[in-house]
Amino acid sequence: MIRVRVQVADFDLKEETDALLAAAAEAGAVASFLGVVRSTAARPIAALTLEHYPAMTQPALEAIAAEAQRRFDLLGCTVIHRVGRLLPGARIVLVLAAARHRQAALDGTGYLIDWLKTGAPFWKSEELPDGTTRWVEAREEDAEASARW
Amino acid sequence: MIRVRVQVADFDLKEETDALLAAAAEAGAVASFLGVVRSTAARPIAALTLEHYPAMTQPALEAIAAEAQRRFDLLGCTVIHRVGRLLPGARIVLVLAAARHRQAALDGTGYLIDWLKTGAPFWKSEELPDGTTRWVEAREEDAEASARW
Amino acid sequence: MTKPVTILYFAWVRERVGAGEEEVTLPQGVDTVAALVAWLRGRSPGHDAAFASPALVRAAVNQVFARQDTAVGAGDEVAFFPPVTGG
Amino acid sequence: MTKPVTILYFAWVRERVGAGEEEVTLPQGVDTVAALVAWLRGRSPGHDAAFASPALVRAAVNQVFARQDTAVGAGDEVAFFPPVTGG
């Protein structure tokens, strides 16, 4: 089962994992990736705003999830991506992959998050402590990470 | 922060993740691995019992976690392994790794679960539907998985 | 009557253009992403600034990532945006 | 008086030996894991069965994984078990 959601609201890791496992009979492993808004002493931010392309986001995420499911023979996967303004420490994105064995679950999770970063229409804008904003630039290493699969 | 527990009781994925993140300032990523008792139509089991070597388990897990923390520069990690008799679908093991960026979190999680399988003194016994029991045999591919790190 | 093309802009491309969406009727010969970009640049200084570094702007046609030579025609939805930064 | 050695058995090694723990006083010359295994095999048919395929039995000395040539001495805790299957 593939579940993909784009939402403003937060999500609950335990609920999502339970729902995935309930629908993934014969699963022995669930791997996950949780991304959170990062603000550091060296590079503090006040908030992060995620913009997206609504008509394209859902089909793009579904295509990425379907490819992960096929490649790693997953028993199910979940992708939840938040949009809107988020404060430091807030959850941004959750990826879950259920499989019979651990390597498929881990690989499926890595594939999903790598492709979310380079293949889905989201853009991040950082709000600095002084109130100015700047668009986060895409990183070359993200393109390399998704290209290696 | 490294947290390692061996316990009979179940654990809560959300609580553990929240506790890890609360202690891992500047984390941007948490990856996890959750192992559950697997019973399949082709190979049904009634229960799985985990035996361990109490005096050795805790230090062995702490050593594995400390090495993961060092290698992948993790901001924190959690390892919880259950022991005793577990029914199909029950959670067995949880690994969490928090890091600044996603690749370290994912690699730390993979390293931890691979080494848990080959470097910690646990033994699994399966109870079949007819009441007989058999010890699960170690798999060659598990040794290869941990050796690749 | 030729159906218009819907153009969408996201992130800093949207900010430079000064609008998130517009409808345009394509003149004869504007039938690829590259030709559309060249034509859009003449619409305003904001448009021109948005496409000043073409390598930094990505496109999608009808919600699918597109290349410079991807065909564009009446009734399509074409989006322009910086490299994505989700996840 | 020489201090005894504590021997622990786990999983099917424990089942074959018929006990999870015993204390033994090592005779002269039994000072490695390999020598201890050879000596333990003579204690009962169950011990002998447990170590019938030495390659299948792993050991730890004082809670650290050991090899066949790891030293064993008075006061040590030595554990024998099959390859681990946790996780």
Side-chain angles (χ1 to χ4, degrees), chain C residues 3-86:
Chain C
K3 280 169 73 181
V5 169
T6 302
I7 315 280
L8 303 176
Y9 303 104
F10 293 99
W12 57 253
V13 178
R14 170 177 54 72
E15 291 179 340
R16 292 192 192 174
V17 168
E21 179 170 352
E22 58 185 331
E23 300 224 323
V24 298
T25 301
L26 299 187
Q28 202 80 16
V30 175
D31 54 6
T32 65
V33 168
L36 176 58
V37 167
W39 181 73
L40 285 170
R41 290 188 70 168
R43 283 173 68 84
S44 82
H47 285 79
D48 191 44
F51 293 103
S53 300
L56 292 181
V57 181
R58 302 284 186 273
V61 175
N62 298 327
Q63 299 95 45
V64 174
F65 288 111
R67 301 184 313 179
Q68 291 293 306
D69 62 358
T70 299
V72 171
D76 284 344
E77 177 175 290
V78 184
F80 293 102
F81 42 75
V84 301
T85 56

Side-chain angles (χ1 to χ4, degrees), chain A residues 50-75:
Chain A
L50 279 131
E51 175 174 337
H52 75 128
Y53 177 3
M56 183 173 170
T57 316
Q58 186 79 17
L61 294 182
E62 282 172 7
I64 291 168
E67 178 61 14
Q69 182 114 335
R70 188 193 67 73
R71 272 194 192 216
F72 303 104
D73 198 17
L74 302 178
L75 297 170

